[in-house]
Every structure is written in structure tokens, then in C-alpha cells.
Amino acid sequence: MEPMHQVPVLTTARLRLRAHRMDDFTGVHGLWSDPSVVRHISAKPSTPAQSWSRLLRYAGHWALLGFGYWVVEDRQTSRFIGEVGLADYHREIEPSFEGKPEAGWVMAPDAQGRGLAREAVRAVLAWADANIAAERTVCMIAPEHTASRRLASAVGFQESGVALYAGSEVVIYERPRSTKS
């Protein structure tokens, strides 16, 4: 059996990014069952079973791949405010994402619009640049999700095309690995 990878704790001025725990289920489900949160992602609020599967998938990414998603906490209150990370979902999409970690972010409605997602994504990408050998990271965003598209551009992603995924058009972004120390 392969060893489990330790999930690093990342801190920023306002945030702590840490591994998911069993007691995060309430936060995960609250986030992913909120229609305003998922409107540009799946358009369908998650059931408790889907949220549980998501929590387990996050742990599996770290255990098997050495990267994954973090819980985003407010450093002052330790409150669960979102999730940010990298994944390999084996998506059936052209162009293929194979070999390129896929970045993603989702924040609770009351944590949006304050630059917290940008702060968290920057921390994750800095960690990825130092710890993952992939030359590029990717992300896909619904065309109408202007806030996420602005965020992607702000953290170094560049639009590389449009694709169909699960019957919907998505904008594909790529970001080269930074070699800055």
C-alpha cells in the first residue's frame, strides 16, 4: 500500500488552508447544497450523499496523488468559508486535462467579494509550483461566471479555449508553472 501524503497547512494574512476532517461534513454539505454556490458549477445543489462522496474524494486525492483540496478557514474565527485546491477528476473533455492538475475554488456566499478566494488560490498555486512537477495547471469555468473568470486571470491563468463538458460550454484556462523562488 502506498503511504498517505500529509496535507500541508497553508496560511495567508486572513486564511488558514487545512486538510478536511470528518467534522467538516456539515460545512461541505452546507456549501455544496446552496443553490447560489452551485449555480455556475453544476446548477444542482448536492444531496448529503453527494457531499459525503466529495469529502471522501478530497481525502483520496491527497492519499493517492499527493495533492488535493483544502478547507478554507477564516484565521480569526476558524469558520469554514470555502474549499480550494487541485484535482485530477479524469474528465472526459477535449482538450484533455491529463497530467495537468485542475485548480478549483468555491467560497460561501458571505465570504465572496472580499478577495479571500484570490488569497487562497494564490497560496495553493504557490504550493503547487514548489511541490508538483506538472508544467501547467488548468481550470474550467462557465462562460457567464465573470467573478471566477476575473479571479483566474488575476492569479495567472490565461484563456486557452472553449470546450463542451457534460453538455455545457466551459472556458478552459491554463497557467504555466512558476519557477520563481
Side-chain angles (χ1 to χ4, degrees), residues 33-97:
S33 65
D34 184 325
S36 71
V37 169
V38 300
R39 115 179 137 223
H40 295 298
I41 301 169
S42 66
K44 297 178 194 167
S46 293
T47 66
Q50 290 167 326
S51 296
W52 179 246
S53 291
R54 181 180 298 279
L55 182 66
L56 296 176
R57 184 172 49 209
Y58 292 149
H61 266 84
W62 282 105
L64 299 177
L65 301 177
F67 62 84
Y69 269 68
W70 284 263
V71 165
V72 180
E73 287 182 336
D74 180 295
R75 278 183 65 181
Q76 288 187 332
T77 65
S78 296
R79 191 171 70 83
F80 181 112
I81 60 171
E83 297 173 320
V84 175
L86 301 160
D88 179 356
Y89 294 123
H90 285 252
R91 294 191 193 276
E92 295 177 15
I93 191 168
E94 286 298 326
S96 171
F97 289 175

Side-chain angles (χ1 to χ4, degrees), residues 73-176:
E73 287 182 336
D74 180 295
R75 278 183 65 181
Q76 288 187 332
T77 65
S78 296
R79 191 171 70 83
F80 181 112
I81 60 171
E83 297 173 320
V84 175
L86 301 160
D88 179 356
Y89 294 123
H90 285 252
R91 294 191 193 276
E92 295 177 15
I93 191 168
E94 286 298 326
S96 171
F97 289 175
E98 186 174 343
K100 300 172 189 167
E102 180 183 344
W105 50 87
V106 60
M107 301 296 280
D110 63 346
Q112 295 174 10
R114 301 184 318 190
L116 296 170
R118 182 175 46 246
E119 193 173 317
V121 172
R122 281 189 173 140
V124 167
L125 293 174
W127 178 88
D129 289 343
N131 293 281
I132 299 176
E135 291 302 313
R136 304 184 86 58
T137 51
V138 296
C139 66
M140 62 181 207
I141 303 170
E144 67 278 5
H145 198 340
T146 56
S148 273
R149 293 183 70 185
R150 277 193 308 270
L151 172 57
S153 295
V155 298
F157 283 96
Q158 295 180 348
E159 189 174 327
S160 65
V162 175
L164 261 181
Y165 180 72
S168 296
E169 190 175 90
V170 293
V171 181
I172 306 299
Y173 288 80
E174 291 198 17
R175 177 188 168 276

